[in-house]
Amino acid sequence: MERRKVIYSRFNDNDAALNSRFQIDSLSKEWIEKRIDIFYHYTRKSFELQTNQEFLAVLRTHPSSIDLVKSALKNYPKINDNIIFTSTPKEDIKKYILGADEFYLAQIDSDDMYHPGYMQLLTEFNPKPETSVIICQNGYIYDIHTKQLCQFNNISSAVYAQRFLVLDYLNTYQYFPELSHVTMYRFPYEAFPKGNFMIITHNTNTHTNVNPYTRFEITDSGMKEAILKEFHISEP
């Protein structure tokens, strides 16, 4: 059986209610340039440092802002060809999975990081026949301003991989509304036990900050340094 891997991430949705609530404009040049900088130094790095590069990373971008995104990316060295910003994510996914039997649709936010071994772990994983989702329940959260590093545990975190038969996806599931990560544990799932992701918090976050997790802060300097080194994060 041939199984392919797709990373799917929403870069900017232009969600009017969300933008109003958090007083942001995800289509503005200023917002895009800030988020591209975070993406490049954290998320992009975690994609390009994967020990297994057999995947396509698709970042869904609002059609009206695709030129601003491309312009912002010109300020950095070229990203790998298997990482794309696109306003037609479903079409790009379909092209990539055609010819395979099954694929993983792995989801992560566009400012967070995978552990470098995540894609290889997903490749080697032998799911139970009934498993439809693989959830990463244990990871870390890191504030790039305060330099606080904490343990992060969530039964249904935003870092997960859905498992689809390609024909089922093409014929049915691609037309379904996208589900929130908070619902994933309700499906037949398995969980990866180790810390395979790092949530990055910063001053343009909307949902997440480190404050609720400070009771799980890693204060041992040696342990903190070792974890950050695993993710290739260097502190000044």
Side-chain angles (χ1 to χ4, degrees):
M1 172 181 282
E2 183 179 358
R3 181 186 291 143
R4 295 180 188 167
K5 301 180 295 297
V6 175
I7 298 172
Y8 176 72
S9 186
R10 291 173 291 182
F11 180 70
N12 63 342
D13 292 325
N14 194 33
D15 184 315
L18 190 69
N19 288 351
S20 174
R21 178 184 174 191
F22 293 101
Q23 297 183 328
I24 63 171
D25 180 1
S26 62
L27 301 184
S28 70
K29 184 173 184 288
E30 180 183 11
W31 187 95
I32 287 169
E33 287 180 347
K34 286 181 179 178
R35 289 300 291 259
I36 285 292
D37 188 69
I38 293 167
F39 165 80
Y40 196 88
H41 288 101
Y42 295 95
T43 314
R44 182 278 319 172
K45 180 164 66 174
S46 84
F47 291 172
E48 294 189 352
L49 289 175
Q50 289 297 307
T51 58
N52 184 323
Q53 285 291 310
E54 294 181 359
F55 63 87
L56 176 69
V58 175
L59 289 104
R60 190 176 89 188
T61 306
H62 194 273
S64 68
S65 64
I66 195 76
D67 289 337
L68 283 174
V69 168
K70 289 179 178 178
S71 177
L73 285 168
K74 289 179 180 178
N75 296 316
Y76 304 89
K78 185 179 181 296
I79 59 178
N80 284 2
D81 290 338
N82 63 342
I83 305 171
I84 62 172
F85 286 80
T86 176
S87 58
T88 56
K90 288 186 178 179
E91 293 303 314
D92 292 290
I93 291 171
K94 283 192 285 186
K95 289 177 186 176
Y96 184 75
I97 64 176
L98 279 173
D101 302 295
E102 186 176 288
F103 82 107
Y104 286 130
L105 186 62
Q107 305 226 20
I108 190 169
D109 288 345
S110 63
D111 50 357
D112 295 335
M113 303 180 74
Y114 285 130
H115 185 278
Y118 176 72
M119 281 294 144
Q120 184 59 33
L121 184 63
L122 202 56
T123 299
E124 295 174 351
F125 186 69
N126 185 26
K128 298 174 183 176
E130 69 273 16
T131 297
S132 62
V133 186
I134 302 167
I135 303 174
C136 292
Q137 295 179 329
N138 304 299
Y140 306 97
I141 184 168
Y142 180 66
D143 189 303
I144 64 175
H145 305 297
T146 66
K147 309 303 180 186
Q148 290 171 284
L149 176 68
C150 306
Q151 293 180 333
F152 182 95
N153 306 101
N154 190 317
I155 190 174
S156 198
S157 84
V159 184
Y160 61 93
Q162 291 173 278
R163 179 187 175 203
F164 295 105
L165 292 173
V166 169
L167 288 179
D168 285 350
Y169 178 81
L170 295 176
N171 293 330
T172 305
Y173 291 110
Q174 67 161 317
Y175 303 108
F176 284 19
E178 292 181 18
L179 299 174
S180 168
H181 69 89
V182 299
T183 67
M184 288 299 134
Y185 78 98
R186 299 175 184 172
F187 297 94
Y189 79 89
E190 293 182 73
F192 283 153
K194 62 172 288 188
N196 288 295
F197 64 93
M198 180 83 70
I199 293 174
I200 302 296
T201 67
H202 48 86
N203 56 17
T204 58
N205 269 121
T206 54
H207 294 292
T208 310
N209 66 73
V210 76
N211 293 336
Y213 305 97
T214 53
R215 65 186 184 278
F216 307 115
E217 184 173 0
I218 297 168
T219 55
D220 181 277
S221 59
M223 182 182 297
K224 178 182 178 182
E225 182 180 359
I227 293 168
L228 293 178
K229 187 176 181 180
E230 280 191 52
F231 285 83
H232 298 268
I233 296 174
S234 56
E235 293 190 323

